[in-house]
Amino acid sequence: MMANMRPFRDLVANQYDEENNKTHSSKEQIDVEKSVLNMYESAHMKITLNRNLPRLATNAHMDFIRDGLTQLPHSYSCLDASRTWLCYWSLHSMSLLTDISKTWPLNKEESMIVQFLSKCQHPSGGFGGGPGQYPHLATTYAAVNALCIIGTQEAYDIINRKTLKEFLYSVRAPNGAFRMHLDGEIDVRGVYCALSIATLTGIYSEKLFDGTAEWVVSCQTYEGGFSGCPGLEAHGGYTFCAIAVLTILKRPKLCDLHSLLRWLVNKQMKLEGGFQGRTNKLVDGCYSFWLACSVLLAGVALGEKKMLFNQTALQEYIMVCCQYNSGGLLDKPGKRPDLYHTCYTLSGLSLTQTNSDYIGIPFYLGFINPLYNISYEKVEIMKTYFKDTKDETL
Amino acid sequence: MGDSSDEEFQNSESWVFYRNRDDWKDVEPVEQEDGGEYPVVSISYTPKFKDVYDYLRGVMKIGEKSQRALDLTADAIALNAANYTVWQYRRDILKELKSDLAKELKYIEKVIQRHCKNYQVWHHRRVIVEWLQDSSKELKFTQGILVFDAKNYHAWQHRQWAIKTFGLYEGELEYVDSLLRDDIRNNSAWNQRYFVINNTIGFVDDVVSKEVEYVLEKIETVPLNESAWNYLKGLLLHDKGGLSNNVKVTTFCEDLYMSGNRSPFLLALIVDMCDERISNKAEDDKYNLKRASELCHELATTVDPIRCRYWEYMSTTISKKAGCESGEDAEGGDGPEEAAAAGASHDV
Ligand SMILES: [Zn+2]
């Protein structure tokens, strides 16, 4: 349990070497390293006074999330079309932070969330980002995940699986890719959301995902990671979607796993300890999940069950650099916390606890299924429920 | 969270609520229906936001597609440009009214300049360009966005789409080259270089050879630049001799190593060369198991210790491969999904 952090002098020695070639990328990187080093320096000083630091400020984060789950300031208006996401980010963060020994969750509030989500369901199938909005794959994914976390029969039963299936077919492209919504854009997110939705709610069929694995593999780039669409640059978020899809479809070996793994591990920053999302870009707390989880999935596909990224360094980054004083977690020092970053830094943090020493985290965070980023048991319960529910209309 | 400044951006003094406008008296505003009695992720909308969206819901309910409805969608978009429903409805209106699409292109240009990291705005532009079948402004437009953020993913996606759809490859390599001269570490530009070549002349032998020269020169300037090393590995995917038989590359790497350079990407590439020779049963005195193990050790302990677990894994994997051919396929019977879940379990 004792803090086992990298010595400060090692961090200093890891500073960026510009090699006499100053560019925009190197300047940005050096600025971030400065602010990160400041955080580490004061953390190391505090540790000499209090050996129990750093600590995960569980209560403060819980308050931040709870506030978000009920009432948000008007600055969240730009997420008015992503409110099912706000539900999922909050619920998942809370389930991670809730000691499994304590009772989870909130009973009456749960039912309110279910009623709200049912208002987001569209008559033609799928869920929109808010009441009355058109259905969209990402907001449907978030709604289904939120309902899975709530995990009550009431939650399951609001899902109209017949129209949901029709919606999935309506956004399927002939080559096995998926549009985000009717006449919307195509990218790897669509495939991942569709497959996650279909497998959780028991409406998966081979026909629905015919050609999908091949299309996803066409998004692997020469760097090893995956891009949103064929030809684009390898990117952490899309890479998670791609490797999760190939894993769920039981075809991970269709891609080049060795070059994928190399690219993934190289995205971990040697000073910061967190991950960048693309080559030569900056560290960001949310990639703690997208990248670390992809390392896990690529490792498993290669028959390796040990985590092949540096868990201690990632923990340090999240614990020291991503916690906001008054609650919530964030991208990097200097940024404000938000529910998205809170969800994905905490999810990443839970991956650093697997088979590993951990620093300053008072308990094991919830135990996640890496393919869905929902607790393992919740996924099983939902899948079983829908497997046993024979719906004549499907 | 960003977009609230847009409200201030619009001239708030002259703003008249829709509910106070005489020419909107015939439309019934529709409130958002949130469900239960308790708020759930409830956003404290400004009065203006609520007013605009109440009228938008009213208009959508009766399916009105008119000029005033089009203007209303613009007000709604100014308040939240990420609302894909509004964009979709706007396109329905544009189609119905047979609106002037050149004007729409100008409009979306302005919106993108303010919200350049949003999926909906770029998708809208793409649809308008498709309808117009006029791609003459796309290169210049995306270039303008890339001046401010040379790695903007959406801008690159739009640019690649326009180039591919309308065959606009001419001059693109020169543009990429200028970006790389500005910032040799701009990975989006390296990726674009690959994209252009891959979709035009292709990585035929003399192209590979010329590109190898190009990238080696860049690596020589900045040996710690991962982008350039990744590009080199991408090129060698097309080299018939594989990774380890391009004399220009192997000589360059050996010289760099001899000179004392310890870029982790250099050592990693030599490990891969050894790995390839072992797989092909073509080890020699330079590329062999012993050297791979030594380099992995050097990476794990001094050159790249943050990735020590990975380099230990590589060392074991390569050794296994050298020892028994089927080493890599010797996996358990668990389905990958179960194994992945087990991999994430805690050993409580
Ligand atoms: Zn982020």
Side-chain angles (χ1 to χ4, degrees), chain A residues 221-224 256-266, chain B residues 190 194 203 208 211-212 215-216 219 225-239 242-244 246 249 253 264-273 275-276 310-311 314:
Chain A
T221 86
Y222 67 87
E223 291 194 87
D256 182 343
L257 287 165
H258 289 285
S259 74
L260 169 62
L261 183 60
R262 171 71 54 81
W263 180 82
L264 288 169
V265 296
N266 274 335
Chain B
W190 282 104
Y194 195 92
F203 289 102
V208 171
E211 286 300 296
V212 162
V215 72
L216 290 183
I219 291 175
N225 179 13
E226 186 188 353
S227 296
W229 286 100
N230 287 355
Y231 186 74
L232 173 62
K233 274 187 77 177
L235 290 176
L236 294 175
L237 290 173
H238 304 277
D239 192 311
L243 279 176
S244 62
N246 185 311
V249 176
C253 290
F265 310 111
L266 167 65
L267 274 66
L269 181 56
I270 303 177
V271 169
D272 291 336
M273 290 172 172
D275 189 9
E276 179 182 274
Y310 172 75
W311 291 117
M314 277 300 283

Side-chain angles (χ1 to χ4, degrees), chain B residues 17-29:
Chain B
F17 284 99
Y18 277 85
R19 61 173 185 265
N20 296 332
R21 295 186 193 186
D22 288 338
D23 50 342
W24 282 87
K25 288 274 179 271
D26 57 319
V27 174
E28 191 74 47

Side-chain angles (χ1 to χ4, degrees), chain A residues 54 56 88 104 129 152 210 268 287 315 317 384:
Chain A
L56 185 65
Y88 164 63
W104 159 261
T152 57
D210 184 32
Q268 188 163 19
Y287 292 117
Q315 245 176 53
Y317 179 68
T384 310

